[in-house]
Amino acid sequence: MLGSCSVIRYIPEGQGLYVGSKVNVEADSISKPNISGLEANLEAIVKPAPNKTIFGFPWKVWFYYWIGEPKDEGGIRSWFRRKLGEPPVIATQRVVDINAANMAGYLDNQGFYRSTAKGKLNVSEKRTATAEYNAYVMPRYVINEVNIVVPDSSVFNRDLVLSKKDTYLKKGDPIRLEVVTAERSRIEQQLKGKGYYYFNPDYLIVKVDSTIGRQDSTLVPQQVNLYLEVKKETAQTALKQYYINRIFVNTGTAEDSAADSTVNAGGRIRRGLTIKDPGELYKRRIFYDAIGFRRGNLYTNKAQEISVTRLVNLQNFKFVKNDFELVPRSDSALLNVYYNLAPQKKKSLQTTLSASTKSNGLAGSELRINWKNRNFFRGAEILNLSGFYGFDLQLGGNKIDNPNRVGNEFIRYGATASLSFPRFIIPFVRIRPERSQILPKTILALNFENRVQRDFFTLRSIRADWSYVWSKNTQLEHTLTPIALNFIEPRNVNSERYVAILTSPNTNPLDKKRYITQVETKFIIAGSNYTVSYRPNPRPFSKNQFVLMGGIDYGGNLLSLLGKKNPGDSVKEFLNIPILQFAKFDGDVRYFRTINSRIKWANRLLGGVGIPFGNSKKMQLPQFKQYFAGGSTGIRAFRARALGPGAYNPDTTSIALFGYNAFGDIRLEASSEVRVKFTDIINGALFVDAGNIWTFRGNAGEGFEDETIFKKTFLNQVAVGGGIGLRLDFSFLVFRLDIATPFRKPWYTVTPVDQDPNAPLDPSAPLQYKNPWVFNEINFGSKTWRKENLILNIAVGLPF
């Protein structure tokens, strides 16, 4: 059949269908340079790629010939030929020679001077052809010293010499063309930061002296000296510093849709800005705050970038066009600045329908309607009003044991209102925006939500926040919420169901205490919180990247001053509601290393601790302030809320009644995964996760035994799991499937080994516990083992 479908008969006599290539890299026999990785890099240079095949059969070429030449280029036959077929790639010696020359150029650009590459085309009798390339690699040259050559001590030359401080060209590094190119761009950016508006990297030249060192010996690395200087033909305008003359802003309103820089000049002038806003849609202060330039200031590229970024982040304009014009005088060093803006629609209405599946066996949907006003008080304030309705249903798990599905199905509905100001708003204090890249924000938010737990009770939450968000640059962002008020109230309790749970002999004390707290306790929290994230930009050509995040959540102190104690009660109350006092500290460290273009190593370490104190010293933190382990973004070998605290293991009756419901005051997790890019869309991963949650103090009366408390021996209670993942990257979202299994089960450390019932009883024998490492239990052929130990996580987005 394959013979009858052969495409070789279509290949002209004397030519060959290109089916692949091979690259051989040979190191110089005397100097023996390091050639690791060179073969893969040279293979990437080979062009074109051979036709796609299945088991060696070029199926797309077969379709190309089978469909035949279409009569109409716009017809359906032509469409099928383009979609299913592809023309054959015919190998020629000319293409091979071009590839060999490109390989030699690549070696030269990487510092392997005097290296050579040759290519040979091999055509078989079956009219297929392969290309074979042989690269002979000489020693790699490294940088000895870098010199900036200037003819005099002018201001420009002084600034050029000062730019050497942060150079990418380091002594001992290989001389590489891409590093030299990046160094020229870095110098250009640094000089533009000092007012040299017309300077560009093409004005710089780097000369390489490779004649230094011992040319008669290859036992030491060959070295080069680099000499960087400005080209002699560089125009004088590029060597001059420029200052800001006038600043024109055109808001692009309908009355002035065709406005240009000449029309702009007729606007009102204030603080050095000429603002043309015929529709009077915007208060002028938003432009004074957003634009970093002032008349008489030295031009800097940083001020230019900051101004455009701020205007875009106002979210009031579709696009921002920024132009500079030289003031027309022969000796002028002045620039006029123009900002032409295209406003967005002031109001918008958005409806979102979403569906979700969760690691705890729930699936549901949510309908959300959002109305937005982008310029509420004419000062680029953004008002958001939204309402939502959603539900979660139990798809599997404990439906048979718990037909009523108590505690496992929910209805959620509520509303949210938020008002964002592009500036700091602090009562009795006026603060001008700092020269940060992003304008600070003040956000006022009010949230109302009812969470109905089917046939059990409703939890109402009312929350009000006053927050500030600011950034020094795109790397560092701060969020401070000095006022965070939260009122939580359980309502509409199904007393019959509640009493049945509490009086059931199958309900353990821990679950009883949890539901008493949830159903009978109101909470009022008046606190503050602060979070910070730091995402440093990696150095050029660096393979490492870090992300640091942390936060503090502190509540109750101010409200406790207004609270009072009832006679005989040690707990302070406000409006007959206990005041919750606590402090939470969270940290998240992420490290990424690029192995090559297709493999990336990702790591994460995160921890958190919540400490109740003062009025709440003898209380456990409520569940909405506690941590849980497991799930698609945590320790993926365990279901969400199925792990911990510590070595605690809930009985099967509790799981059947309430599902997995494990929470703790302390969390510690670590993850490491190797991410592999197979195609532009299909990616894979191999991962290992470890960690657990613990209680801060523990309370035996509430079901928290000694094995749940965080102590020096906490490492003995760490859970470990791992698995493989499939990711579909559609650029706008990543769809993720991770399947994992436990490697270490911490509750085995307190689970006695099954005793032989026929063995004689020995009261003096020490109690033996199971080995927490469970590799010996892995049995893919067992349906029971797969059901309990193979955990499938379905999610959108990467785990970290």
mmCIF file of all heavy atoms in Angstrom, residues 481-506:
data_model
loop_
_atom_site.group_PDB
_atom_site.id
_atom_site.type_symbol
_atom_site.label_atom_id
_atom_site.label_comp_id
_atom_site.label_asym_id
_atom_site.label_seq_id
_atom_site.Cartn_x
_atom_site.Cartn_y
_atom_site.Cartn_z
ATOM 1 N N THR A 481 -3.621 47.924 52.981
ATOM 2 C CA THR A 481 -5.030 48.111 53.332
ATOM 3 C C THR A 481 -5.092 48.501 54.807
ATOM 4 O O THR A 481 -5.127 47.631 55.687
ATOM 5 C CB THR A 481 -5.844 46.829 53.081
ATOM 6 O OG1 THR A 481 -5.664 46.417 51.726
ATOM 7 C CG2 THR A 481 -7.324 47.052 53.336
ATOM 8 N N PRO A 482 -5.073 49.796 55.111
ATOM 9 C CA PRO A 482 -5.078 50.200 56.520
ATOM 10 C C PRO A 482 -6.410 49.920 57.204
ATOM 11 O O PRO A 482 -6.456 49.765 58.421
ATOM 12 C CB PRO A 482 -4.778 51.704 56.461
ATOM 13 C CG PRO A 482 -5.209 52.120 55.091
ATOM 14 C CD PRO A 482 -4.986 50.952 54.196
ATOM 15 N N ILE A 483 -7.497 49.884 56.423
ATOM 16 C CA ILE A 483 -8.819 49.633 57.009
ATOM 17 C C ILE A 483 -9.448 48.450 56.267
ATOM 18 O O ILE A 483 -9.705 48.529 55.062
ATOM 19 C CB ILE A 483 -9.730 50.865 56.899
ATOM 20 C CG1 ILE A 483 -9.107 52.060 57.613
ATOM 21 C CG2 ILE A 483 -11.111 50.557 57.463
ATOM 22 C CD1 ILE A 483 -9.893 53.345 57.467
ATOM 23 N N ALA A 484 -9.652 47.360 56.989
ATOM 24 C CA ALA A 484 -10.313 46.178 56.428
ATOM 25 C C ALA A 484 -11.338 45.699 57.446
ATOM 26 O O ALA A 484 -10.978 45.175 58.510
ATOM 27 C CB ALA A 484 -9.292 45.084 56.127
ATOM 28 N N LEU A 485 -12.593 45.925 57.155
ATOM 29 C CA LEU A 485 -13.681 45.541 58.046
ATOM 30 C C LEU A 485 -14.429 44.361 57.446
ATOM 31 O O LEU A 485 -14.783 44.374 56.263
ATOM 32 C CB LEU A 485 -14.650 46.707 58.258
ATOM 33 C CG LEU A 485 -14.051 48.003 58.800
ATOM 34 C CD1 LEU A 485 -15.111 49.099 58.828
ATOM 35 C CD2 LEU A 485 -13.476 47.786 60.188
ATOM 36 N N ASN A 486 -14.665 43.337 58.277
ATOM 37 C CA ASN A 486 -15.339 42.145 57.786
ATOM 38 C C ASN A 486 -16.300 41.631 58.875
ATOM 39 O O ASN A 486 -15.883 41.391 60.008
ATOM 40 C CB ASN A 486 -14.311 41.073 57.426
ATOM 41 C CG ASN A 486 -14.896 39.977 56.543
ATOM 42 O OD1 ASN A 486 -14.248 38.983 56.288
ATOM 43 N ND2 ASN A 486 -16.105 40.138 56.058
ATOM 44 N N PHE A 487 -17.563 41.526 58.485
ATOM 45 C CA PHE A 487 -18.589 40.983 59.386
ATOM 46 C C PHE A 487 -19.092 39.673 58.791
ATOM 47 O O PHE A 487 -19.533 39.633 57.636
ATOM 48 C CB PHE A 487 -19.734 41.969 59.558
ATOM 49 C CG PHE A 487 -20.916 41.402 60.306
ATOM 50 C CD1 PHE A 487 -20.810 41.059 61.654
ATOM 51 C CD2 PHE A 487 -22.121 41.200 59.669
ATOM 52 C CE1 PHE A 487 -21.891 40.537 62.343
ATOM 53 C CE2 PHE A 487 -23.208 40.685 60.347
ATOM 54 C CZ PHE A 487 -23.098 40.344 61.700
ATOM 55 N N ILE A 488 -19.021 38.592 59.572
ATOM 56 C CA ILE A 488 -19.414 37.267 59.106
ATOM 57 C C ILE A 488 -20.472 36.715 60.054
ATOM 58 O O ILE A 488 -20.258 36.677 61.284
ATOM 59 C CB ILE A 488 -18.206 36.324 59.028
ATOM 60 C CG1 ILE A 488 -17.204 36.877 58.000
ATOM 61 C CG2 ILE A 488 -18.629 34.913 58.660
ATOM 62 C CD1 ILE A 488 -15.898 36.171 57.995
ATOM 63 N N GLU A 489 -21.587 36.286 59.483
ATOM 64 C CA GLU A 489 -22.719 35.860 60.302
ATOM 65 C C GLU A 489 -23.370 34.614 59.692
ATOM 66 O O GLU A 489 -23.811 34.624 58.540
ATOM 67 C CB GLU A 489 -23.756 36.986 60.378
ATOM 68 C CG GLU A 489 -25.021 36.607 61.125
ATOM 69 C CD GLU A 489 -26.108 37.656 60.981
ATOM 70 O OE1 GLU A 489 -26.065 38.425 59.985
ATOM 71 O OE2 GLU A 489 -26.994 37.697 61.843
ATOM 72 N N PRO A 490 -23.453 33.506 60.465
ATOM 73 C CA PRO A 490 -24.223 32.346 60.003
ATOM 74 C C PRO A 490 -25.715 32.582 60.220
ATOM 75 O O PRO A 490 -26.133 33.124 61.247
ATOM 76 C CB PRO A 490 -23.694 31.209 60.881
ATOM 77 C CG PRO A 490 -23.162 31.879 62.099
ATOM 78 C CD PRO A 490 -22.728 33.258 61.712
ATOM 79 N N ARG A 491 -26.548 32.192 59.256
ATOM 80 C CA ARG A 491 -27.988 32.423 59.325
ATOM 81 C C ARG A 491 -28.737 31.207 58.767
ATOM 82 O O ARG A 491 -28.161 30.338 58.123
ATOM 83 C CB ARG A 491 -28.374 33.669 58.514
ATOM 84 C CG ARG A 491 -27.616 34.917 58.881
ATOM 85 C CD ARG A 491 -27.895 36.085 57.946
ATOM 86 N NE ARG A 491 -29.230 36.636 58.151
ATOM 87 C CZ ARG A 491 -30.229 36.513 57.293
ATOM 88 N NH1 ARG A 491 -30.057 35.837 56.164
ATOM 89 N NH2 ARG A 491 -31.407 37.038 57.546
ATOM 90 N N ASN A 492 -30.058 31.196 59.010
ATOM 91 C CA ASN A 492 -30.953 30.194 58.428
ATOM 92 C C ASN A 492 -30.450 28.770 58.650
ATOM 93 O O ASN A 492 -30.346 27.955 57.723
ATOM 94 C CB ASN A 492 -31.135 30.438 56.918
ATOM 95 C CG ASN A 492 -31.664 31.828 56.617
ATOM 96 O OD1 ASN A 492 -32.425 32.396 57.406
ATOM 97 N ND2 ASN A 492 -31.266 32.378 55.485
ATOM 98 N N VAL A 493 -30.158 28.455 59.907
ATOM 99 C CA VAL A 493 -29.621 27.138 60.243
ATOM 100 C C VAL A 493 -30.761 26.109 60.235
ATOM 101 O O VAL A 493 -31.826 26.328 60.819
ATOM 102 C CB VAL A 493 -28.940 27.161 61.624
ATOM 103 C CG1 VAL A 493 -28.389 25.780 61.975
ATOM 104 C CG2 VAL A 493 -27.817 28.203 61.628
ATOM 105 N N ASN A 494 -30.505 24.977 59.588
ATOM 106 C CA ASN A 494 -31.436 23.849 59.616
ATOM 107 C C ASN A 494 -31.197 23.117 60.941
ATOM 108 O O ASN A 494 -30.315 22.270 61.057
ATOM 109 C CB ASN A 494 -31.179 22.922 58.423
ATOM 110 C CG ASN A 494 -32.183 21.792 58.328
ATOM 111 O OD1 ASN A 494 -32.731 21.344 59.338
ATOM 112 N ND2 ASN A 494 -32.400 21.303 57.117
ATOM 113 N N SER A 495 -32.007 23.462 61.950
ATOM 114 C CA SER A 495 -31.767 22.943 63.293
ATOM 115 C C SER A 495 -31.873 21.427 63.359
ATOM 116 O O SER A 495 -31.137 20.765 64.107
ATOM 117 C CB SER A 495 -32.742 23.597 64.287
ATOM 118 O OG SER A 495 -34.085 23.377 63.882
ATOM 119 N N GLU A 496 -32.794 20.847 62.602
ATOM 120 C CA GLU A 496 -32.961 19.395 62.624
ATOM 121 C C GLU A 496 -31.697 18.700 62.124
ATOM 122 O O GLU A 496 -31.208 17.743 62.723
ATOM 123 C CB GLU A 496 -34.156 19.010 61.756
ATOM 124 C CG GLU A 496 -34.435 17.510 61.729
ATOM 125 C CD GLU A 496 -35.640 17.183 60.868
ATOM 126 O OE1 GLU A 496 -36.367 18.112 60.464
ATOM 127 O OE2 GLU A 496 -35.854 15.975 60.609
ATOM 128 N N ARG A 497 -31.153 19.215 61.010
ATOM 129 C CA ARG A 497 -29.926 18.636 60.479
ATOM 130 C C ARG A 497 -28.749 18.888 61.413
ATOM 131 O O ARG A 497 -27.907 18.021 61.643
ATOM 132 C CB ARG A 497 -29.642 19.260 59.098
ATOM 133 C CG ARG A 497 -28.371 18.774 58.430
ATOM 134 C CD ARG A 497 -28.511 17.352 57.957
ATOM 135 N NE ARG A 497 -29.598 17.245 56.989
ATOM 136 C CZ ARG A 497 -30.111 16.090 56.583
ATOM 137 N NH1 ARG A 497 -29.659 14.968 57.101
ATOM 138 N NH2 ARG A 497 -31.086 16.077 55.692
ATOM 139 N N TYR A 498 -28.725 20.062 61.988
ATOM 140 C CA TYR A 498 -27.621 20.444 62.880
ATOM 141 C C TYR A 498 -27.594 19.542 64.112
ATOM 142 O O TYR A 498 -26.539 19.016 64.496
ATOM 143 C CB TYR A 498 -27.792 21.910 63.262
ATOM 144 C CG TYR A 498 -26.699 22.473 64.134
ATOM 145 C CD1 TYR A 498 -25.364 22.188 63.895
ATOM 146 C CD2 TYR A 498 -27.015 23.320 65.198
ATOM 147 C CE1 TYR A 498 -24.375 22.716 64.693
ATOM 148 C CE2 TYR A 498 -26.036 23.864 65.995
ATOM 149 C CZ TYR A 498 -24.710 23.553 65.742
ATOM 150 O OH TYR A 498 -23.735 24.081 66.540
ATOM 151 N N VAL A 499 -28.746 19.335 64.733
ATOM 152 C CA VAL A 499 -28.817 18.478 65.926
ATOM 153 C C VAL A 499 -28.442 17.049 65.572
ATOM 154 O O VAL A 499 -27.752 16.353 66.330
ATOM 155 C CB VAL A 499 -30.221 18.553 66.560
ATOM 156 C CG1 VAL A 499 -30.372 17.508 67.668
ATOM 157 C CG2 VAL A 499 -30.486 19.945 67.097
ATOM 158 N N ALA A 500 -28.867 16.588 64.401
ATOM 159 C CA ALA A 500 -28.547 15.223 63.993
ATOM 160 C C ALA A 500 -27.042 15.026 63.852
ATOM 161 O O ALA A 500 -26.505 13.970 64.221
ATOM 162 C CB ALA A 500 -29.248 14.902 62.678
ATOM 163 N N ILE A 501 -26.362 16.039 63.342
ATOM 164 C CA ILE A 501 -24.909 15.933 63.196
ATOM 165 C C ILE A 501 -24.232 15.899 64.563
ATOM 166 O O ILE A 501 -23.334 15.073 64.816
ATOM 167 C CB ILE A 501 -24.378 17.105 62.351
ATOM 168 C CG1 ILE A 501 -24.857 16.981 60.914
ATOM 169 C CG2 ILE A 501 -22.854 17.161 62.398
ATOM 170 C CD1 ILE A 501 -24.513 18.171 60.050
ATOM 171 N N LEU A 502 -24.657 16.781 65.460
ATOM 172 C CA LEU A 502 -23.992 16.879 66.755
ATOM 173 C C LEU A 502 -24.265 15.661 67.632
ATOM 174 O O LEU A 502 -23.427 15.280 68.467
ATOM 175 C CB LEU A 502 -24.441 18.150 67.481
ATOM 176 C CG LEU A 502 -24.067 19.481 66.815
ATOM 177 C CD1 LEU A 502 -24.488 20.646 67.691
ATOM 178 C CD2 LEU A 502 -22.570 19.557 66.530
ATOM 179 N N THR A 503 -25.427 15.042 67.489
ATOM 180 C CA THR A 503 -25.776 13.895 68.345
ATOM 181 C C THR A 503 -25.394 12.567 67.726
ATOM 182 O O THR A 503 -25.524 11.519 68.377
ATOM 183 C CB THR A 503 -27.285 13.895 68.630
ATOM 184 O OG1 THR A 503 -28.003 13.855 67.385
ATOM 185 C CG2 THR A 503 -27.674 15.131 69.412
ATOM 186 N N SER A 504 -24.918 12.583 66.480
ATOM 187 C CA SER A 504 -24.550 11.330 65.830
ATOM 188 C C SER A 504 -23.303 10.751 66.477
ATOM 189 O O SER A 504 -22.308 11.445 66.685
ATOM 190 C CB SER A 504 -24.293 11.568 64.340
ATOM 191 O OG SER A 504 -23.754 10.414 63.743
ATOM 192 N N PRO A 505 -23.332 9.442 66.822
ATOM 193 C CA PRO A 505 -22.127 8.825 67.401
ATOM 194 C C PRO A 505 -20.989 8.722 66.391
ATOM 195 O O PRO A 505 -19.833 8.486 66.785
ATOM 196 C CB PRO A 505 -22.625 7.429 67.806
ATOM 197 C CG PRO A 505 -23.808 7.166 66.918
ATOM 198 C CD PRO A 505 -24.450 8.492 66.700
ATOM 199 N N ASN A 506 -21.281 8.904 65.115
ATOM 200 C CA ASN A 506 -20.241 8.818 64.089
ATOM 201 C C ASN A 506 -19.488 10.134 63.880
ATOM 202 O O ASN A 506 -18.537 10.181 63.111
ATOM 203 C CB ASN A 506 -20.848 8.387 62.753
ATOM 204 C CG ASN A 506 -21.422 6.991 62.809
ATOM 205 O OD1 ASN A 506 -20.859 6.109 63.458
ATOM 206 N ND2 ASN A 506 -22.561 6.794 62.146
#
